[in-house]
Amino acid sequence: MHDAVTGHVAWGVLTERDVVAVPGPLDWLRDEGTRIEVLLASAPRNGNEAGFVERIKIADAAVLGLDASPEGAAAFLRLTHDSLHRPVADNFQQRRFEELLAADPDVWRALEGAGAVPPGIRDLPRTRVLGPVRNWELTRRRGFVRDDAGRTVDEVSIRICDWFPTCACLGPWW
């Protein structure tokens, strides 16, 4: 399991079920030696002791920026499949984005001002935010395996029907 804090290269925001927006600088994105996956995490809810964590590979990435300000670019990472997390719900205002970008070539600041991403994401301290993620993953992993060994061949044969529902199970149904 890749550690969330030490493996962190950038913050991002889930803008669509399969798209994460990430602010610059984006040198890590072009480094072919860097292993990249998106870690999506939500704090615990409803008395759960662990938050919800997903790790999803990236299908492709597009960098959007102005030649005059490459450090102000933003990357849009398309995920290999939809996330189970909820994308940011703010309304994106295209005209406001264009106005802000015309005044300042920082794409991320324009996205913040236009309601596409919550402000302040890139300034958050990674240890405070990502520190709990490893513990959440370990907590969820503890209850992952159920030992269902049977004492007899008949017990195992009956239990296998749980995993192969089309089997011709000869044992009792319960």
Side-chain angles (χ1 to χ4, degrees):
M1 184 176 348
H2 205 66
D3 183 78
V5 175
T6 59
H8 166 82
V9 294
W11 291 116
V13 176
L14 187 67
T15 58
E16 297 290 331
R17 291 262 182 219
D18 66 340
V19 176
V20 173
V22 180
L26 301 165
D27 295 339
W28 57 270
L29 189 56
R30 293 176 182 89
D31 180 0
E32 294 177 5
T34 300
R35 176 183 161 203
I36 303 172
E37 68 181 359
V38 171
L39 181 145
L40 299 152
S42 298
R45 294 203 167 114
N46 302 330
N48 292 335
E49 59 184 274
F52 177 60
V53 180
E54 286 182 295
R55 292 173 183 265
I56 303 176
K57 294 190 183 314
I58 300 170
D60 57 54
V63 176
L64 179 65
L66 293 170
D67 289 338
S69 180
E71 68 281 352
F76 293 87
L77 313 177
R78 184 154 321 272
L79 306 177
T80 56
H81 59 83
D82 287 357
S83 169
L84 297 175
H85 282 82
R86 185 179 317 135
V88 292
D90 295 333
N91 293 324
F92 175 63
Q93 301 164 23
Q94 175 76 25
R95 185 174 302 272
R96 181 74 178 135
F97 173 76
E98 292 168 0
E99 291 169 356
L100 291 167
L101 197 55
D104 177 359
D106 188 307
V107 174
W108 192 260
R109 272 198 290 268
L111 289 169
E112 287 177 334
V117 299
I121 295 293
R122 59 181 161 187
D123 299 325
L124 295 173
R126 74 174 168 181
T127 303
R128 189 185 92 218
V129 176
L130 294 174
V133 170
R134 180 166 173 72
N135 290 336
W136 294 345
E137 289 181 309
L138 290 173
T139 297
R140 292 211 181 266
R141 179 72 172 95
R142 280 188 207 114
F144 186 70
V145 177
R146 182 183 77 214
D147 188 1
D148 205 11
R151 286 178 287 217
T152 68
V153 171
D154 288 341
E155 286 179 19
V156 173
S157 181
I158 289 170
R159 288 187 183 133
I160 200 73
C161 289
D162 289 340
W163 302 104
F164 295 95
T166 58
C167 75
C169 189
L170 300 176
W173 180 258
W174 65 87

